[in-house]
Amino acid sequence: MTFEEFERMAGAEPELNCKSIFKVEMYFIGLWDMNDNGEKIAPYVESTSLDLDVPEVYYLLTFEEAKKQILSEQAIHSDSFHSARVIELPIGLPIHDEEYLSITVFDKNAEVTFCSRFPTVEGLTDAEGNDVDTTFYGYAEKDMPYHEGEIVEVMDGENNVVRLGIVVDTPVSLEDNWKHGKETGGFIDVLDRFRIMIDNDICQYFGTGFILRPSFPVSDNIKKCLKKWYKNRPDEGSTDFAGLLQFL
């Protein structure tokens, strides 16, 4: 197999034989910081976090209906609208948390910033009843959604907070997966997540569907703080057990 053939195989969207429903999660800014005059302070001037309201959730029958709902809400609440996700879920199949058929992320302007058509649900079949290969082989380097050292937002759904962070590690790229396959005879089932510093001593993995570029301008002081985190990030030579799992 050549790299070009591997790239075509990795990029082929599986044809699924199942009905689906679309879950819409819309997030709105819940609490603005205020100055002494009672005026709103722009986010990310003094703080690296932003409070959100409990998300509004809808279940719709088509992606077009889901997108229409998002565009409508963003137009009405453009000041407080933060982001939205459309999560395609299978009907009649068991699923676990954070499993989906596809996921699409919309930013503050209701524009699509990320779209994954690689399902994470097991037990899927095609029209002929054959098992569907849902292996994710990684992003091509030119298509990597975020890059090491980039400032991003991450969604903390449990606490309804968005936090600024800085990317420390990216998923295995398609090119590196190809090299690994040539050396070992087997390709990696890549975990679609990025390792991000959200504090000066806290690194966590976040699925790509929970990451956005900053919704508001980041002040120079905050940028310096985040760059300092990155400069003092954990030793690249240390053992990263979560990352190591991708190679097992």
Side-chain angles (χ1 to χ4, degrees), residues 37-51:
N37 296 322
E39 300 168 328
K40 293 179 182 178
I41 299 176
Y44 309 144
V45 171
E46 299 177 356
S47 175
T48 59
S49 64
L50 178 63
D51 292 320

Side-chain angles (χ1 to χ4, degrees), residues 105-125:
V105 180
F106 294 78
D107 66 8
K108 192 178 190 309
N109 299 315
E111 296 179 351
V112 175
T113 62
F114 173 74
C115 182
S116 174
R117 294 287 182 257
F118 292 95
T120 59
V121 179
E122 296 182 355
L124 298 172
T125 59

